[in-house]
Short mmCIF file of all heavy atoms in Angstrom, two decimals:
data_model
loop_
_atom_site.label_atom_id
_atom_site.label_comp_id
_atom_site.label_asym_id
_atom_site.label_seq_id
_atom_site.Cartn_x
_atom_site.Cartn_y
_atom_site.Cartn_z
N MET A 1 0.84 -1.14 0.00
CA MET A 1 0.00 0.00 0.00
C MET A 1 0.89 1.23 0.00
O MET A 1 1.93 1.24 0.68
CB MET A 1 -0.88 0.02 1.25
CG MET A 1 -1.69 -1.25 1.44
SD MET A 1 -2.64 -1.29 2.97
CE MET A 1 -1.30 -1.36 4.18
N TYR A 2 0.49 2.23 -0.75
CA TYR A 2 1.24 3.50 -0.77
C TYR A 2 0.23 4.63 -0.71
O TYR A 2 -0.50 4.87 -1.67
CB TYR A 2 2.12 3.62 -1.98
CG TYR A 2 2.91 4.89 -2.03
CD1 TYR A 2 3.95 5.09 -1.12
CD2 TYR A 2 2.61 5.91 -2.90
CE1 TYR A 2 4.68 6.25 -1.11
CE2 TYR A 2 3.33 7.09 -2.91
CZ TYR A 2 4.37 7.25 -2.03
OH TYR A 2 5.08 8.44 -2.00
N ASN A 3 0.15 5.28 0.43
CA ASN A 3 -0.80 6.41 0.65
C ASN A 3 -2.22 6.00 0.33
O ASN A 3 -2.91 6.65 -0.44
CB ASN A 3 -0.37 7.65 -0.14
CG ASN A 3 0.93 8.21 0.37
OD1 ASN A 3 1.31 8.05 1.52
ND2 ASN A 3 1.66 8.87 -0.49
N GLU A 4 -2.67 4.90 0.93
CA GLU A 4 -3.99 4.36 0.69
C GLU A 4 -4.95 4.56 1.86
O GLU A 4 -5.96 3.90 1.94
CB GLU A 4 -3.87 2.86 0.40
CG GLU A 4 -3.08 2.51 -0.85
CD GLU A 4 -3.75 2.99 -2.14
OE1 GLU A 4 -4.96 3.24 -2.12
OE2 GLU A 4 -3.01 3.10 -3.12
N ALA A 5 -4.69 5.50 2.72
CA ALA A 5 -5.52 5.69 3.93
C ALA A 5 -6.98 5.89 3.58
O ALA A 5 -7.87 5.35 4.25
CB ALA A 5 -5.00 6.86 4.75
N LEU A 6 -7.27 6.61 2.51
CA LEU A 6 -8.66 6.87 2.15
C LEU A 6 -9.37 5.64 1.62
O LEU A 6 -10.60 5.60 1.62
CB LEU A 6 -8.75 7.99 1.11
CG LEU A 6 -8.25 9.37 1.60
CD1 LEU A 6 -8.27 10.36 0.45
CD2 LEU A 6 -9.11 9.87 2.73
N MET A 7 -8.64 4.63 1.22
CA MET A 7 -9.25 3.43 0.62
C MET A 7 -9.29 2.25 1.57
O MET A 7 -9.89 1.22 1.26
CB MET A 7 -8.52 3.02 -0.66
CG MET A 7 -8.58 4.06 -1.75
SD MET A 7 -10.26 4.51 -2.22
CE MET A 7 -10.89 2.96 -2.79
N LEU A 8 -8.66 2.38 2.74
CA LEU A 8 -8.59 1.19 3.61
C LEU A 8 -9.92 0.73 4.14
O LEU A 8 -10.14 -0.49 4.27
CB LEU A 8 -7.61 1.49 4.78
CG LEU A 8 -6.15 1.51 4.43
CD1 LEU A 8 -5.31 1.81 5.65
CD2 LEU A 8 -5.69 0.23 3.79
N ASP A 9 -10.83 1.63 4.45
CA ASP A 9 -12.13 1.18 4.95
C ASP A 9 -12.84 0.33 3.90
O ASP A 9 -13.42 -0.70 4.23
CB ASP A 9 -13.02 2.39 5.28
CG ASP A 9 -12.63 3.04 6.58
OD1 ASP A 9 -11.95 2.43 7.39
OD2 ASP A 9 -13.00 4.23 6.77
N GLU A 10 -12.74 0.70 2.64
CA GLU A 10 -13.37 -0.09 1.55
C GLU A 10 -12.65 -1.44 1.41
O GLU A 10 -13.29 -2.47 1.27
CB GLU A 10 -13.31 0.70 0.23
CG GLU A 10 -13.87 -0.07 -0.95
CD GLU A 10 -15.40 -0.30 -0.85
OE1 GLU A 10 -16.06 0.44 -0.10
OE2 GLU A 10 -15.87 -1.24 -1.51
N LEU A 11 -11.33 -1.43 1.47
CA LEU A 11 -10.56 -2.68 1.35
C LEU A 11 -10.96 -3.61 2.48
O LEU A 11 -11.24 -4.81 2.26
CB LEU A 11 -9.06 -2.39 1.44
CG LEU A 11 -8.17 -3.62 1.56
CD1 LEU A 11 -8.25 -4.51 0.34
CD2 LEU A 11 -6.74 -3.21 1.85
N PHE A 12 -10.99 -3.13 3.70
CA PHE A 12 -11.31 -3.97 4.84
C PHE A 12 -12.75 -4.48 4.78
O PHE A 12 -13.00 -5.64 5.13
CB PHE A 12 -11.07 -3.24 6.16
CG PHE A 12 -9.61 -2.91 6.40
CD1 PHE A 12 -9.24 -1.73 7.03
CD2 PHE A 12 -8.59 -3.77 5.99
CE1 PHE A 12 -7.90 -1.44 7.27
CE2 PHE A 12 -7.26 -3.48 6.21
CZ PHE A 12 -6.93 -2.31 6.86
N ALA A 13 -13.67 -3.67 4.32
CA ALA A 13 -15.07 -4.13 4.19
C ALA A 13 -15.16 -5.23 3.15
O ALA A 13 -15.86 -6.24 3.39
CB ALA A 13 -15.95 -2.92 3.77
N ARG A 14 -14.47 -5.11 2.07
CA ARG A 14 -14.49 -6.17 1.03
C ARG A 14 -13.81 -7.45 1.52
O ARG A 14 -14.27 -8.54 1.23
CB ARG A 14 -13.83 -5.66 -0.25
CG ARG A 14 -14.63 -4.62 -0.97
CD ARG A 14 -13.99 -4.18 -2.23
NE ARG A 14 -14.75 -3.13 -2.89
CZ ARG A 14 -14.68 -2.88 -4.18
NH1 ARG A 14 -13.88 -3.58 -4.96
NH2 ARG A 14 -15.40 -1.90 -4.69
N LEU A 15 -12.70 -7.29 2.24
CA LEU A 15 -12.03 -8.44 2.78
C LEU A 15 -12.94 -9.17 3.79
O LEU A 15 -13.04 -10.42 3.76
CB LEU A 15 -10.73 -8.07 3.47
CG LEU A 15 -9.57 -7.73 2.54
CD1 LEU A 15 -8.42 -7.14 3.36
CD2 LEU A 15 -9.09 -8.97 1.81
N GLU A 16 -13.58 -8.43 4.66
CA GLU A 16 -14.50 -9.03 5.65
C GLU A 16 -15.59 -9.82 4.93
O GLU A 16 -15.88 -10.96 5.29
CB GLU A 16 -15.11 -7.95 6.54
CG GLU A 16 -14.18 -7.29 7.50
CD GLU A 16 -13.90 -8.07 8.75
OE1 GLU A 16 -14.51 -9.15 8.97
OE2 GLU A 16 -13.06 -7.60 9.53
N ALA A 17 -16.20 -9.20 3.92
CA ALA A 17 -17.31 -9.85 3.21
C ALA A 17 -16.86 -11.11 2.49
O ALA A 17 -17.52 -12.14 2.51
CB ALA A 17 -17.94 -8.88 2.24
N THR A 18 -15.72 -11.03 1.85
CA THR A 18 -15.23 -12.17 1.05
C THR A 18 -14.73 -13.30 1.96
O THR A 18 -15.08 -14.46 1.75
CB THR A 18 -14.08 -11.71 0.13
OG1 THR A 18 -14.56 -10.69 -0.74
CG2 THR A 18 -13.53 -12.87 -0.68
N LEU A 19 -13.95 -12.97 2.96
CA LEU A 19 -13.34 -14.00 3.79
C LEU A 19 -14.32 -14.59 4.81
O LEU A 19 -14.05 -15.67 5.37
CB LEU A 19 -12.11 -13.47 4.49
CG LEU A 19 -10.99 -13.02 3.55
CD1 LEU A 19 -9.84 -12.41 4.30
CD2 LEU A 19 -10.52 -14.21 2.70
N ALA A 20 -15.45 -13.96 5.01
CA ALA A 20 -16.47 -14.51 5.89
C ALA A 20 -17.03 -15.82 5.33
O ALA A 20 -17.51 -16.67 6.07
CB ALA A 20 -17.61 -13.51 6.12
N ASN A 21 -16.93 -16.01 4.03
CA ASN A 21 -17.48 -17.19 3.38
C ASN A 21 -16.45 -18.30 3.20
O ASN A 21 -16.76 -19.32 2.59
CB ASN A 21 -18.05 -16.79 2.01
CG ASN A 21 -19.16 -15.83 2.15
OD1 ASN A 21 -20.03 -15.95 2.99
ND2 ASN A 21 -19.15 -14.76 1.34
N ILE A 22 -15.27 -18.11 3.68
CA ILE A 22 -14.22 -19.13 3.53
C ILE A 22 -14.03 -19.85 4.87
O ILE A 22 -13.82 -19.22 5.90
CB ILE A 22 -12.88 -18.46 3.11
CG1 ILE A 22 -13.05 -17.83 1.74
CG2 ILE A 22 -11.75 -19.46 3.14
CD1 ILE A 22 -11.84 -17.07 1.26
N ASP A 23 -14.13 -21.16 4.80
CA ASP A 23 -14.02 -21.97 6.03
C ASP A 23 -12.57 -22.41 6.19
O ASP A 23 -12.25 -23.57 6.04
CB ASP A 23 -14.95 -23.18 5.94
CG ASP A 23 -15.01 -23.95 7.24
OD1 ASP A 23 -14.82 -23.32 8.29
OD2 ASP A 23 -15.25 -25.15 7.18
N ALA A 24 -11.71 -21.44 6.49
CA ALA A 24 -10.30 -21.72 6.70
C ALA A 24 -9.70 -20.58 7.51
O ALA A 24 -10.21 -19.47 7.50
CB ALA A 24 -9.57 -21.86 5.35
N VAL A 25 -8.62 -20.89 8.20
CA VAL A 25 -7.89 -19.85 8.91
C VAL A 25 -7.19 -18.99 7.87
O VAL A 25 -6.47 -19.52 7.00
CB VAL A 25 -6.87 -20.48 9.89
CG1 VAL A 25 -6.05 -19.38 10.57
CG2 VAL A 25 -7.60 -21.32 10.91
N THR A 26 -7.40 -17.70 7.92
CA THR A 26 -6.88 -16.79 6.88
C THR A 26 -6.09 -15.68 7.49
O THR A 26 -6.46 -15.10 8.50
CB THR A 26 -8.03 -16.20 6.06
OG1 THR A 26 -8.85 -17.26 5.56
CG2 THR A 26 -7.53 -15.40 4.90
N GLU A 27 -4.95 -15.38 6.89
CA GLU A 27 -4.12 -14.23 7.28
C GLU A 27 -3.93 -13.34 6.07
O GLU A 27 -3.63 -13.80 4.97
CB GLU A 27 -2.76 -14.68 7.80
CG GLU A 27 -1.87 -13.52 8.18
CD GLU A 27 -0.50 -13.97 8.61
OE1 GLU A 27 0.11 -14.83 7.96
OE2 GLU A 27 -0.01 -13.43 9.63
N VAL A 28 -4.08 -12.03 6.26
CA VAL A 28 -3.86 -11.06 5.21
C VAL A 28 -2.62 -10.28 5.56
O VAL A 28 -2.49 -9.76 6.69
CB VAL A 28 -5.08 -10.10 5.07
CG1 VAL A 28 -4.77 -9.01 4.07
CG2 VAL A 28 -6.30 -10.87 4.67
N VAL A 29 -1.65 -10.24 4.66
CA VAL A 29 -0.42 -9.49 4.87
C VAL A 29 -0.54 -8.17 4.20
O VAL A 29 -0.80 -8.07 2.99
CB VAL A 29 0.79 -10.29 4.32
CG1 VAL A 29 2.08 -9.48 4.49
CG2 VAL A 29 0.91 -11.66 4.95
N LEU A 30 -0.37 -7.10 4.97
CA LEU A 30 -0.47 -5.74 4.49
C LEU A 30 0.93 -5.13 4.49
O LEU A 30 1.59 -5.11 5.53
CB LEU A 30 -1.41 -4.91 5.38
CG LEU A 30 -2.82 -5.46 5.56
CD1 LEU A 30 -3.54 -4.74 6.68
CD2 LEU A 30 -3.59 -5.30 4.26
N VAL A 31 1.39 -4.65 3.34
CA VAL A 31 2.71 -4.03 3.23
C VAL A 31 2.55 -2.57 2.93
O VAL A 31 1.96 -2.20 1.93
CB VAL A 31 3.55 -4.73 2.15
CG1 VAL A 31 4.93 -4.09 2.04
CG2 VAL A 31 3.66 -6.23 2.40
N ASP A 32 3.04 -1.73 3.83
CA ASP A 32 3.06 -0.28 3.62
C ASP A 32 4.36 0.07 2.94
O ASP A 32 5.45 -0.09 3.49
CB ASP A 32 2.93 0.45 4.95
CG ASP A 32 2.87 1.95 4.80
OD1 ASP A 32 2.96 2.46 3.66
OD2 ASP A 32 2.75 2.65 5.81
N ASP A 33 4.26 0.55 1.72
CA ASP A 33 5.44 0.83 0.88
C ASP A 33 5.92 2.28 1.08
O ASP A 33 6.08 3.01 0.13
CB ASP A 33 5.08 0.55 -0.56
CG ASP A 33 6.29 0.49 -1.49
OD1 ASP A 33 7.41 0.37 -0.98
OD2 ASP A 33 6.09 0.56 -2.70
N GLY A 34 6.13 2.68 2.34
CA GLY A 34 6.69 3.99 2.62
C GLY A 34 5.67 5.12 2.56
O GLY A 34 6.03 6.23 2.17
N SER A 35 4.44 4.88 2.91
CA SER A 35 3.40 5.89 2.85
C SER A 35 3.73 7.09 3.73
O SER A 35 4.35 6.98 4.77
CB SER A 35 2.04 5.33 3.30
OG SER A 35 1.63 4.32 2.45
N SER A 36 3.25 8.27 3.28
CA SER A 36 3.43 9.48 4.08
C SER A 36 2.14 9.94 4.72
O SER A 36 2.10 10.96 5.38
CB SER A 36 4.01 10.60 3.17
OG SER A 36 3.13 10.88 2.11
N ASP A 37 1.05 9.18 4.52
CA ASP A 37 -0.24 9.51 5.14
C ASP A 37 -0.44 8.57 6.33
O ASP A 37 0.50 8.02 6.86
CB ASP A 37 -1.38 9.46 4.12
CG ASP A 37 -1.60 8.05 3.57
OD1 ASP A 37 -0.87 7.11 3.93
OD2 ASP A 37 -2.52 7.91 2.74
N SER A 38 -1.64 8.35 6.74
CA SER A 38 -1.94 7.52 7.90
C SER A 38 -2.16 6.04 7.57
O SER A 38 -2.72 5.30 8.39
CB SER A 38 -3.16 8.09 8.65
OG SER A 38 -4.33 7.95 7.85
N THR A 39 -1.74 5.62 6.41
CA THR A 39 -1.93 4.21 6.00
C THR A 39 -1.43 3.23 7.04
O THR A 39 -2.13 2.32 7.46
CB THR A 39 -1.26 3.96 4.64
OG1 THR A 39 -1.86 4.77 3.65
CG2 THR A 39 -1.38 2.50 4.22
N TRP A 40 -0.19 3.40 7.50
CA TRP A 40 0.41 2.47 8.48
C TRP A 40 -0.39 2.44 9.77
O TRP A 40 -0.75 1.38 10.28
CB TRP A 40 1.85 2.85 8.75
CG TRP A 40 2.44 2.01 9.83
CD1 TRP A 40 2.79 2.40 11.09
CD2 TRP A 40 2.80 0.61 9.75
NE1 TRP A 40 3.30 1.36 11.81
CE2 TRP A 40 3.32 0.22 11.01
CE3 TRP A 40 2.69 -0.35 8.75
CZ2 TRP A 40 3.75 -1.06 11.28
CZ3 TRP A 40 3.12 -1.63 9.04
CH2 TRP A 40 3.66 -1.99 10.28
N LEU A 41 -0.70 3.60 10.31
CA LEU A 41 -1.46 3.68 11.56
C LEU A 41 -2.83 3.05 11.42
O LEU A 41 -3.26 2.27 12.26
CB LEU A 41 -1.61 5.16 11.98
CG LEU A 41 -2.31 5.42 13.30
CD1 LEU A 41 -1.53 4.80 14.46
CD2 LEU A 41 -2.47 6.90 13.52
N ASP A 42 -3.52 3.36 10.33
CA ASP A 42 -4.85 2.77 10.11
C ASP A 42 -4.80 1.26 9.94
O ASP A 42 -5.63 0.53 10.47
CB ASP A 42 -5.51 3.43 8.88
CG ASP A 42 -5.77 4.90 9.06
OD1 ASP A 42 -5.70 5.40 10.19
OD2 ASP A 42 -6.03 5.56 8.04
N ALA A 43 -3.80 0.78 9.21
CA ALA A 43 -3.67 -0.66 8.98
C ALA A 43 -3.34 -1.40 10.27
O ALA A 43 -3.90 -2.48 10.54
CB ALA A 43 -2.60 -0.94 7.93
N THR A 44 -2.46 -0.87 11.08
CA THR A 44 -2.06 -1.56 12.33
C THR A 44 -3.14 -1.46 13.41
O THR A 44 -3.18 -2.28 14.29
CB THR A 44 -0.75 -1.02 12.85
OG1 THR A 44 -0.85 0.39 13.07
CG2 THR A 44 0.40 -1.32 11.91
N ASN A 45 -4.04 -0.51 13.29
CA ASN A 45 -5.13 -0.37 14.29
C ASN A 45 -6.37 -1.12 13.89
O ASN A 45 -7.32 -1.19 14.66
CB ASN A 45 -5.47 1.10 14.52
CG ASN A 45 -4.43 1.80 15.36
OD1 ASN A 45 -3.83 1.19 16.22
ND2 ASN A 45 -4.20 3.06 15.06
N TYR A 46 -6.40 -1.73 12.70
CA TYR A 46 -7.56 -2.45 12.22
C TYR A 46 -7.68 -3.77 12.94
O TYR A 46 -6.71 -4.51 13.11
CB TYR A 46 -7.47 -2.64 10.73
CG TYR A 46 -8.58 -3.45 10.14
CD1 TYR A 46 -9.89 -2.99 10.20
CD2 TYR A 46 -8.33 -4.70 9.61
CE1 TYR A 46 -10.92 -3.75 9.68
CE2 TYR A 46 -9.37 -5.47 9.09
CZ TYR A 46 -10.67 -4.97 9.13
OH TYR A 46 -11.69 -5.71 8.64
N SER A 47 -8.87 -4.11 13.41
CA SER A 47 -9.15 -5.39 14.08
C SER A 47 -10.18 -6.16 13.29
O SER A 47 -11.39 -5.96 13.46
CB SER A 47 -9.67 -5.13 15.50
OG SER A 47 -8.70 -4.48 16.26
N PRO A 48 -9.74 -7.08 12.44
CA PRO A 48 -10.69 -7.84 11.62
C PRO A 48 -11.48 -8.84 12.45
O PRO A 48 -11.05 -9.28 13.52
CB PRO A 48 -9.80 -8.57 10.60
CG PRO A 48 -8.47 -8.64 11.28
CD PRO A 48 -8.35 -7.43 12.16
N ASN A 49 -12.65 -9.19 11.95
CA ASN A 49 -13.52 -10.11 12.63
C ASN A 49 -13.27 -11.59 12.30
O ASN A 49 -13.40 -12.46 13.13
CB ASN A 49 -15.00 -9.82 12.33
CG ASN A 49 -15.39 -8.49 12.91
OD1 ASN A 49 -15.04 -8.17 14.03
ND2 ASN A 49 -16.15 -7.71 12.17
N ASN A 50 -12.92 -11.87 11.03
CA ASN A 50 -12.85 -13.26 10.62
C ASN A 50 -11.53 -13.67 9.97
O ASN A 50 -11.47 -14.66 9.24
CB ASN A 50 -14.03 -13.62 9.71
CG ASN A 50 -14.16 -12.65 8.56
OD1 ASN A 50 -13.24 -11.88 8.28
ND2 ASN A 50 -15.28 -12.72 7.86
N PHE A 51 -10.47 -12.91 10.18
CA PHE A 51 -9.16 -13.26 9.69
C PHE A 51 -8.13 -12.48 10.51
O PHE A 51 -8.49 -11.59 11.28
CB PHE A 51 -9.00 -12.95 8.19
CG PHE A 51 -9.23 -11.52 7.82
CD1 PHE A 51 -8.17 -10.64 7.72
CD2 PHE A 51 -10.50 -11.05 7.53
CE1 PHE A 51 -8.36 -9.31 7.39
CE2 PHE A 51 -10.70 -9.72 7.15
CZ PHE A 51 -9.64 -8.86 7.09
N SER A 52 -6.89 -12.83 10.37
CA SER A 52 -5.84 -12.09 11.07
C SER A 52 -5.02 -11.27 10.05
O SER A 52 -5.06 -11.55 8.86
CB SER A 52 -4.92 -13.05 11.82
OG SER A 52 -4.24 -13.90 10.92
N THR A 53 -4.35 -10.28 10.55
CA THR A 53 -3.50 -9.46 9.67
C THR A 53 -2.07 -9.45 10.19
O THR A 53 -1.83 -9.63 11.39
CB THR A 53 -3.99 -7.99 9.59
OG1 THR A 53 -3.99 -7.44 10.90
CG2 THR A 53 -5.37 -7.90 8.97
N HIS A 54 -1.16 -9.27 9.28
CA HIS A 54 0.24 -9.09 9.60
C HIS A 54 0.67 -7.89 8.81
O HIS A 54 0.48 -7.85 7.56
CB HIS A 54 1.05 -10.33 9.21
CG HIS A 54 2.47 -10.22 9.59
ND1 HIS A 54 2.93 -10.43 10.86
CD2 HIS A 54 3.56 -9.91 8.87
CE1 HIS A 54 4.23 -10.25 10.90
NE2 HIS A 54 4.64 -9.94 9.70
N CYS A 55 1.21 -6.87 9.49
CA CYS A 55 1.57 -5.63 8.80
C CYS A 55 3.09 -5.48 8.71
O CYS A 55 3.79 -5.73 9.72
CB CYS A 55 0.99 -4.43 9.53
SG CYS A 55 -0.79 -4.42 9.62
N ILE A 56 3.56 -5.07 7.56
CA ILE A 56 4.98 -4.86 7.32
C ILE A 56 5.13 -3.42 6.79
O ILE A 56 4.39 -3.02 5.92
CB ILE A 56 5.53 -5.85 6.25
CG1 ILE A 56 5.37 -7.27 6.74
CG2 ILE A 56 6.99 -5.51 5.92
CD1 ILE A 56 5.66 -8.31 5.64
N ALA A 57 6.08 -2.69 7.37
CA ALA A 57 6.36 -1.31 6.91
C ALA A 57 7.72 -1.24 6.28
O ALA A 57 8.73 -1.61 6.91
CB ALA A 57 6.28 -0.33 8.08
N LEU A 58 7.78 -0.80 5.05
CA LEU A 58 9.06 -0.56 4.41
C LEU A 58 9.53 0.83 4.75
O LEU A 58 8.72 1.75 4.96
CB LEU A 58 8.92 -0.73 2.88
CG LEU A 58 8.42 -2.09 2.38
CD1 LEU A 58 8.36 -2.15 0.87
CD2 LEU A 58 9.30 -3.20 2.92
N SER A 59 10.81 1.04 4.79
CA SER A 59 11.39 2.33 5.27
C SER A 59 11.14 3.49 4.29
O SER A 59 11.20 4.63 4.69
CB SER A 59 12.89 2.17 5.52
OG SER A 59 13.56 1.81 4.33
N ARG A 60 10.93 3.16 3.05
CA ARG A 60 10.62 4.15 2.04
C ARG A 60 9.85 3.48 0.91
O ARG A 60 9.64 2.30 0.94
CB ARG A 60 11.88 4.84 1.53
CG ARG A 60 12.81 3.89 0.79
CD ARG A 60 14.01 4.63 0.15
NE ARG A 60 14.92 3.73 -0.51
CZ ARG A 60 14.74 3.26 -1.75
NH1 ARG A 60 13.69 3.60 -2.46
NH2 ARG A 60 15.65 2.46 -2.29
N ASN A 61 9.46 4.26 -0.10
CA ASN A 61 8.75 3.69 -1.25
C ASN A 61 9.73 2.98 -2.15
O ASN A 61 10.53 3.59 -2.83
CB ASN A 61 8.01 4.82 -1.99
CG ASN A 61 7.24 4.28 -3.16
OD1 ASN A 61 7.63 4.45 -4.30
ND2 ASN A 61 6.13 3.63 -2.88
N PHE A 62 9.65 1.65 -2.11
CA PHE A 62 10.50 0.83 -2.95
C PHE A 62 9.83 0.37 -4.24
O PHE A 62 10.47 -0.10 -5.17
CB PHE A 62 11.00 -0.40 -2.21
CG PHE A 62 11.99 -0.14 -1.15
CD1 PHE A 62 11.61 0.09 0.18
CD2 PHE A 62 13.34 -0.10 -1.44
CE1 PHE A 62 12.56 0.36 1.14
CE2 PHE A 62 14.31 0.17 -0.50
CZ PHE A 62 13.89 0.40 0.82
N GLY A 63 8.52 0.43 -4.28
CA GLY A 63 7.77 0.00 -5.46
C GLY A 63 7.07 -1.34 -5.24
O GLY A 63 7.34 -2.05 -4.26
N LYS A 64 6.20 -1.65 -6.17
CA LYS A 64 5.34 -2.84 -6.05
C LYS A 64 6.14 -4.14 -5.93
O LYS A 64 5.82 -4.99 -5.11
CB LYS A 64 4.42 -2.93 -7.27
CG LYS A 64 3.57 -4.15 -7.30
CD LYS A 64 2.73 -4.23 -8.56
CE LYS A 64 3.70 -4.61 -9.69
NZ LYS A 64 3.07 -4.89 -10.93
N GLU A 65 7.19 -4.32 -6.73
CA GLU A 65 7.94 -5.56 -6.71
C GLU A 65 8.57 -5.83 -5.35
O GLU A 65 8.54 -6.94 -4.83
CB GLU A 65 8.99 -5.59 -7.83
CG GLU A 65 8.40 -5.66 -9.23
CD GLU A 65 7.89 -4.32 -9.74
OE1 GLU A 65 8.17 -3.26 -9.13
OE2 GLU A 65 7.11 -4.37 -10.71
N ALA A 66 9.18 -4.80 -4.76
CA ALA A 66 9.81 -4.96 -3.44
C ALA A 66 8.75 -5.22 -2.39
O ALA A 66 8.96 -6.02 -1.48
CB ALA A 66 10.63 -3.72 -3.09
N ALA A 67 7.60 -4.57 -2.48
CA ALA A 67 6.52 -4.79 -1.51
C ALA A 67 6.01 -6.22 -1.60
O ALA A 67 5.77 -6.86 -0.59
CB ALA A 67 5.42 -3.80 -1.74
N LEU A 68 5.87 -6.75 -2.81
CA LEU A 68 5.42 -8.14 -2.98
C LEU A 68 6.47 -9.11 -2.44
O LEU A 68 6.11 -10.14 -1.85
CB LEU A 68 5.14 -8.43 -4.44
CG LEU A 68 3.88 -7.81 -5.00
CD1 LEU A 68 3.80 -7.96 -6.51
CD2 LEU A 68 2.64 -8.37 -4.34
N THR A 69 7.73 -8.80 -2.61
CA THR A 69 8.80 -9.67 -2.12
C THR A 69 8.78 -9.66 -0.57
O THR A 69 9.01 -10.73 0.03
CB THR A 69 10.17 -9.17 -2.62
OG1 THR A 69 10.15 -9.23 -4.04
CG2 THR A 69 11.28 -10.06 -2.09
N ALA A 70 8.51 -8.51 0.00
CA ALA A 70 8.48 -8.42 1.47
C ALA A 70 7.40 -9.32 2.04
O ALA A 70 7.56 -9.91 3.07
CB ALA A 70 8.23 -6.97 1.93
#
């Protein structure tokens, strides 16, 4: 994610709706690619109902490929 604070509520709502129908233990990995807005704070404060999250913060914006590798 890079400066996605305004979209996180929508992302989390869609994840909740989709993963509620999956009968498996699910973890979502969120990678903050050096955001300068509240993306990191919002992501780490999110408490999902039906899955777990793991948040990773990169020290700066490395780009999509580095974020996927992380």
Side-chain angles (χ1 to χ4, degrees):
M1 305 175 293
Y2 180 71
N3 294 333
E4 298 293 341
L6 296 176
M7 297 304 299
L8 286 180
D9 286 340
E10 179 66 23
L11 171 65
F12 294 145
R14 289 182 183 203
L15 284 171
E16 291 279 356
T18 301
L19 296 176
N21 299 316
I22 296 175
D23 188 29
V25 176
T26 306
E27 178 183 45
V28 174
V29 178
L30 303 167
V31 179
D32 182 359
D33 194 15
S35 297
S36 59
D37 64 359
S38 65
T39 298
W40 174 251
L41 182 63
D42 296 346
T44 56
N45 286 326
Y46 177 64
S47 297
N49 293 319
N50 52 13
F51 59 93
S52 63
T53 59
H54 183 79
C55 299
I56 299 170
L58 301 182
S59 61
R60 65 175 178 82
N61 181 254
F62 287 94
K64 176 185 73 173
E65 291 78 15
L68 288 172
T69 300

